[in-house]
Amino acid sequence: MSKTEWKEYKLGEIYEVHNGLSKGREFFGSGYPFISFSTVFNKWFIPEIITDLAQTTESEQESYSIKAGDILVTRTSETADELGMSCVALKDIPKATYNGFCKRMRQYNKDIDVDPKYVGYYMRNPEFRKNFQAFAGSMSTRASLTNDALLGLTIKLPPLAEQQRIAKILSSLDDKIELNNAINRNLEEQAQAIFKNWFIDFEPFGGEMPEDWKMGTVADIIVSHDSKRIPLSSMQRDSMKKIYPYYGATSCMDYVEDYIFDGIYLLLGEDGTVVDKDGFPILQYVEGKFWVNNHAHILTGKSGYSVEMLYLFFSMTKVQEIVTGAVQLKISQGRLNGLTAIIPNEKTSKAFDEIIQPMFRQIRLIRQQNQNLTILRDTLLTKLMCGEFGV
């Protein structure tokens, strides 16, 4: 298709903006569907199953409603990388509302043909996302996104049929990635069930902790590598070749041309988003060569704990009680070290590890498949959104 058939619009010519809902913590955990900052940040499209809930009124549900085609965008953040992340609604979500640190874009100009999936992919295009990093780079404190700045950005739209074909190609890759993710979730749930059976319920040991096991603390089972962390600004990363993953508190934020770590490690969120809605820590089980900023603790195990066993331990240990900070949440190394931990004997740790290691090897293989699929998708994404070749 000729690029002359593509048209460029300011987002303000298509969408209007509405800020999200802010409520006290006591209103969350029950009620109606609520789209959290974490969901908007991590998901390109609002998932079918929404696990976050909030107690909201009919008036709030009307004012902060979510309809098919709506685009939620993170509007404020500690870092440029979390600013302007988008998440698109592909259907109406009755009674749902969305987080106050987000904005909702809703199409008002129906004369312009827009496919929601296409826009979802377009706004996650690295070239488009550079706009948000530029906004944040001009601020001396917390990064923030104004309505005027957001609506002043431009989007390129081919004819509707072309938008739909581009979205179909990209979503076919996402479907395969999600299928792989489901397989890995199942493997992880199996490993968690075995961990619970052995180290929480003690079923193989008559329902009681064996006498030669010890009660200790997290300091007894982890080795911290935090001193090796080196944060890189978005400007520094922009000048680098995209080779190795660059991790933050919750996810891989970027790719850089060098690495600090090489091997299998556990990352546990230190500040920002550090716990999920149930009070469990934000974890990343990572392997290979990578770089980490200073927003995640970097851990390996000791006292019989492999990284995989450590991952299972933390995935089933609530840490809400050690979180500090009213606005910027934080899990300090000192408070983390003080958590209670069971230390089994060496024979038991080794026997458990022999059971779970094949599961985690499979998890790593599938994740490598997903990394390759993601690279393919992102390469196609940039080229298709620039109209470099037809579909």
Side-chain angles (χ1 to χ4, degrees):
M1 169 175 287
S2 170
K3 290 180 66 173
T4 59
E5 298 182 55
W6 291 52
K7 296 182 179 179
E8 189 170 289
Y9 299 94
K10 288 188 175 181
L11 291 178
E13 297 179 74
I14 306 173
Y15 298 98
E16 57 187 6
V17 174
H18 193 285
N19 283 344
L21 174 64
S22 297
K23 295 180 75 104
R25 290 188 181 182
E26 66 272 18
F27 292 98
F28 294 92
S30 63
Y32 301 98
F34 183 77
I35 310 303
S36 65
F37 182 98
S38 177
T39 295
V40 176
F41 180 82
N42 290 301
K43 303 291 185 181
W44 295 30
F45 303 96
I46 295 178
E48 285 287 329
I49 299 175
I50 300 169
T51 56
D52 294 293
L53 301 174
Q55 299 172 30
T56 53
T57 64
E58 289 186 8
S59 175
E60 289 169 335
Q61 291 167 15
E62 181 177 351
S63 181
Y64 304 98
S65 63
I66 299 176
K67 305 291 185 183
D70 285 353
I71 304 167
L72 303 182
V73 181
T74 56
R75 69 172 181 83
T76 184
S77 167
E78 293 292 332
T79 65
D81 304 283
E82 295 185 355
L83 192 67
M85 298 297 279
S86 60
C87 182
V88 178
L90 299 179
K91 65 178 182 179
D92 293 355
I93 307 176
K95 301 184 182 297
T97 54
Y98 57 98
N99 186 272
F101 291 110
C102 301
K103 294 178 182 291
R104 181 193 68 201
M105 294 168 48
R106 176 169 289 172
Q107 186 176 0
Y108 73 88
N109 187 348
K110 302 297 184 179
D111 293 330
I112 299 176
D113 291 326
V114 177
D115 178 72
K117 274 195 172 183
Y118 173 87
V119 177
Y121 285 114
Y122 192 98
M123 292 189 68
R124 288 281 185 154
N125 180 1
E127 290 302 312
F128 183 80
R129 283 205 42 72
K130 287 181 181 179
N131 293 300
F132 299 109
Q133 294 171 355
F135 294 151
S138 64
M139 302 172 187
S140 58
T141 56
R142 186 177 177 88
S144 185
L145 180 62
T146 67
N147 289 353
D148 288 344
L150 177 60
L151 295 178
L153 298 177
T154 58
I155 183 172
K156 296 177 181 179
L157 298 176
L160 182 61
E162 189 79 355
Q163 293 179 43
Q164 293 169 338
R165 284 194 290 271
I166 290 173
K168 185 176 180 180
I169 287 177
L170 297 173
S171 63
S172 68
L173 295 172
D174 275 340
D175 289 343
K176 174 57 178 172
I177 291 171
E178 183 50 42
L179 177 61
N180 281 345
N181 286 337
I183 294 171
N184 272 0
R185 283 194 296 269
N186 181 266
L187 287 168
E188 184 179 323
E189 287 167 3
Q190 291 180 51
Q192 287 175 327
I194 299 170
F195 183 93
K196 180 177 183 294
N197 180 266
W198 283 41
F199 303 112
I200 297 177
D201 299 332
F202 306 116
E203 288 191 12
F205 316 103
E208 296 182 357
M209 188 177 84
E211 292 182 358
D212 59 344
W213 294 16
K214 296 188 300 182
M215 291 300 299
T217 66
V218 163
D220 297 317
I221 65 172
I222 67 167
V223 177
S224 172
H225 304 273
D226 288 2
S227 62
K228 301 174 185 177
R229 299 179 303 186
I230 303 174
L232 297 171
S233 69
S234 58
M235 184 176 298
Q236 288 174 299
R237 301 197 307 273
D238 283 345
S239 65
M240 293 183 173
K241 296 177 181 179
K242 306 301 182 182
I243 304 173
Y244 304 107
Y246 178 81
Y247 291 102
T250 63
S251 63
C252 175
M253 301 166 54
D254 203 347
Y255 287 82
V256 293
E257 64 187 14
D258 204 353
Y259 62 92
I260 304 174
F261 300 95
D262 185 5
I264 298 175
Y265 292 82
L266 177 64
L267 308 185
L268 187 149
E270 178 178 2
D271 51 34
T273 303
V274 297
V275 292
D276 64 18
K277 64 182 181 63
D278 297 316
F280 293 100
I282 300 300
L283 304 173
Q284 300 176 78
Y285 172 68
V286 299
E287 79 278 351
K289 297 179 173 68
F290 60 92
W291 196 294
V292 184
N293 69 14
N294 57 356
H295 297 294
H297 293 298
I298 306 159
L299 311 174
T300 51
K302 64 181 181 181
S303 301
Y305 273 75
S306 63
V307 173
E308 291 74 18
M309 188 172 170
L310 204 61
Y311 174 82
L312 295 172
F313 167 80
F314 279 115
S315 73
M316 305 188 76
T317 301
K318 291 189 176 184
V319 298
Q320 187 66 59
E321 64 181 25
I322 67 169
V323 176
T324 59
V327 178
Q328 176 74 349
L329 303 182
K330 183 178 181 66
I331 297 177
S332 70
Q333 185 70 65
R335 293 177 71 86
L336 181 66
N337 284 345
L339 285 174
T340 300
I342 290 176
I343 306 174
N345 59 42
E346 183 179 351
K347 180 180 178 181
T348 303
S349 296
K350 184 177 180 180
F352 179 77
D353 213 44
E354 288 176 351
I355 294 173
I356 65 168
Q357 285 301 329
M359 297 178 182
F360 278 90
R361 279 196 294 272
Q362 184 66 13
I363 286 172
R364 294 195 298 271
L365 285 172
I366 291 174
R367 290 204 322 195
Q368 183 59 56
Q369 291 179 15
N370 274 2
Q371 288 175 13
N372 294 337
L373 288 168
T374 299
I375 291 170
L376 175 59
R377 181 201 64 195
D378 291 349
T379 300
L380 286 173
L381 175 61
T382 301
K383 293 182 178 295
L384 290 170
M385 295 302 173
C386 293
E388 287 190 18
F389 53 81
V391 294

